Amino acid sequence: SQQGEEDPQALSIQEGENATMNCSYKTSINNLQWYRQNSGRGLVHLILIRSNEREKHSGRLRVTLDTSKKSSSLLITASRAADTASYFCATVLNYGGSQGNLIFGKGTKLSVKP
Amino acid sequence: EAQVTQNPRYLITVTGKKLTVTCSQNMNHEYMSWYRQDPGLGLRQIYYSMNVEVTDKGDVPEGYKVSRKEKRNFPLILESPSPNQTSLYFCASSATSRGYNEQFFGPGTRLTVL
């Protein structure tokens, strides 16, 4: 039951540029989380934004949440080659059989060229 | 160091030969979960556990078993592996029951079933 869908599927930018990834979802959520995965490795948690929050920052990361549009965006400012990875949004539902479980999108593959 | 460990990291086996992938966390987390990751499909939840002796099916439980006899361990058992279970498997844990907080992921187990 795929809930989140990231856009774009792939993004290629130059070092120093900003990278924006979007996530859309279908049903009411408790929170939305962003994770990073370096090739073939485990996922690393980046940010959690709750349904009553609109924006959160962590270092060079900025996440927004628009519950009326059921969408979120992840902005990475001043990107570095080390930011090259896949980025996943994951939603946590408030109800139903999957209540409280993470439901992942398919990810955005970011490539930052030196 | 707070971490989730998985063993083995890589496994090649044959159809029908029972195997167990172990998962252990040292953070006293209540919630643990197993995911599989396949190209084009993202991460899908197999099973999860909200606490000792409490387990439930995720989105793709067929062909898998789990147990949670101790808080720190959550093994994934494939009684009779088949080639369609070839995948990258991740174990994750979270402080509270269900996923209302960030999840910590293990490094992954790459399984090939011939």
Side-chain angles (χ1 to χ4, degrees), chain B residues 6-18:
Chain B
Q6 294 177 228
N7 281 292
R9 295 288 315 280
Y10 302 90
L11 179 60
I12 300 174
T13 189
V14 295
T15 298
K17 187 176 180 184
K18 180 179 178 180

Side-chain angles (χ1 to χ4, degrees), chain A residues 40-74:
Chain A
R41 298 194 167 201
L43 281 77
V44 174
H45 181 265
L46 297 175
I47 283 188
L48 182 154
I49 186 164
R50 302 198 185 277
S51 59
N52 60 352
E53 298 174 310
R54 291 297 165 256
E55 189 170 311
K56 280 189 94 167
H57 296 256
S58 176
R60 293 183 296 112
L61 306 181
R62 173 179 167 247
V63 168
T64 61
L65 179 65
D66 187 334
T67 53
S68 67
K69 294 181 180 176
K70 293 188 171 59
S71 67
S72 173
S73 67
L74 170 67

Side-chain angles (χ1 to χ4, degrees), chain A residues 73-111:
Chain A
S73 67
L74 170 67
L75 168 67
I76 304 174
T77 59
S79 62
R80 305 165 182 167
D83 294 328
T84 294
S86 290
Y87 291 81
F88 294 88
C89 74
T91 52
V92 178
L93 303 185
N94 266 326
Y95 68 93
S98 295
Q99 180 189 6
N101 293 329
L102 279 179
I103 303 175
F104 283 87
K106 296 179 184 177
T108 292
K109 200 164 187 176
L110 174 65
S111 175

Side-chain angles (χ1 to χ4, degrees), chain B residues 54-72:
Chain B
V54 181
T55 63
D56 209 343
K57 296 176 181 178
D59 293 324
V60 288
E62 293 77 24
Y64 304 95
K65 281 175 59 177
V66 293
S67 68
R68 186 95 182 270
K69 296 189 175 117
E70 306 163 283
K71 201 170 187 179
R72 62 184 294 129

Side-chain angles (χ1 to χ4, degrees), chain B residues 7-51:
Chain B
N7 281 292
R9 295 288 315 280
Y10 302 90
L11 179 60
I12 300 174
T13 189
V14 295
T15 298
K17 187 176 180 184
K18 180 179 178 180
L19 66 92
T20 299
V21 183
T22 64
C23 172
S24 183
Q25 50 91 7
N26 62 1
M27 296 168 277
N28 201 37
H29 283 172
E30 290 184 350
Y31 181 93
M32 297 185 75
S33 182
W34 276 103
Y35 299 88
R36 61 177 289 174
Q37 184 177 29
D38 302 289
L41 295 176
L43 281 95
R44 296 176 293 167
Q45 190 179 50
I46 304 170
Y47 268 96
Y48 64 96
S49 169
M50 289 192 285
N51 216 323

